[in-house]
Amino acid sequence: MDQEKTENEQKKEFLMSYQLAKRDVTRLEEQLAELRIGKMSPGCEIGDGLPHAHNATDLSSYAAKVDGLEREIVAARYRRICAFERVRNCIEALEDEREKLLLTYRYLRGMRWTAICEKMDYSWQHLHKIHARALKNFKTCD
């Protein structure tokens, strides 16, 4: 039983890899947006009231940070696409259509169990039985 649980946990981790990659992209995009907002509306400094020139390195440092984050976002988007394809291909290898649909809703679309119950018109208990069967039949195809 411990072996099976470990195997199921590994399968779930693989299936969740797309959602994790998707969250990474979102997190990086939010960081970039915050960086841009911070540069467009910097905090007001209270000083002597006289205008001061900003250090020229401020802009080059900002540009370097933006460029670095944009490169990370492109790489993260590529990882997300690859994760999606890997997970989708493995799900599509299942024979049972209900199992495919359930795993697609849960792990590719990121739907909650209650929404999947409504969408597939199954009780929570029945849905989890299908999920258990799907995990049993699921093979990672790396």
Side-chain angles (χ1 to χ4, degrees):
M1 189 67 165
D2 288 340
Q3 171 85 22
E4 186 177 315
K5 184 173 183 182
T6 304
E7 189 176 321
N8 278 349
E9 292 304 317
Q10 289 173 349
K11 289 176 181 180
K12 287 179 190 178
E13 189 175 302
F14 174 81
L15 286 163
M16 284 302 296
S17 66
Y18 170 66
Q19 289 299 321
L20 294 174
K22 195 171 154 182
R23 285 185 203 125
D24 282 347
V25 171
T26 302
R27 180 182 48 79
L28 289 168
E29 288 172 341
E30 288 170 352
Q31 287 177 4
L32 181 59
E34 287 176 18
L35 183 64
R36 287 181 172 153
I37 288 171
K39 194 63 176 176
M40 289 180 358
S41 56
C44 298
E45 294 181 28
I46 300 174
D48 57 12
L50 300 173
H52 298 279
H54 289 289
N55 189 345
T57 60
D58 285 349
L59 193 54
S60 63
S61 173
Y62 167 75
K65 288 178 184 176
V66 167
D67 183 58
L69 271 174
E70 286 175 341
R71 289 174 189 264
E72 281 186 65
I73 289 169
V74 168
R77 285 178 178 160
Y78 180 74
R79 288 190 302 271
R80 180 189 68 194
I81 291 166
C82 291
F84 177 85
E85 288 177 346
R86 281 191 312 270
V87 172
R88 187 185 147 281
N89 289 340
C90 293
I91 289 172
E92 287 301 315
L94 290 168
E95 292 181 19
D96 187 286
E97 291 299 318
R98 292 177 307 164
E99 292 174 7
K100 285 183 194 181
L101 193 57
L102 171 61
L103 295 184
T104 298
Y105 286 155
R106 181 70 179 157
Y107 297 104
L108 292 179
R109 294 190 184 169
M111 292 173 63
R112 297 183 183 273
W113 289 112
T114 52
I116 299 170
C117 287
E118 290 175 21
K119 189 110 173 143
M120 293 183 70
D121 197 27
Y122 288 117
S123 70
W124 179 281
Q125 185 178 8
H126 192 134
L127 197 69
H128 280 77
K129 285 180 183 179
I130 296 170
H131 183 255
R133 249 191 337 268
L135 288 178
K136 184 178 179 185
N137 296 328
F138 185 81
K139 307 273 187 273
T140 55
C141 40
D142 287 331

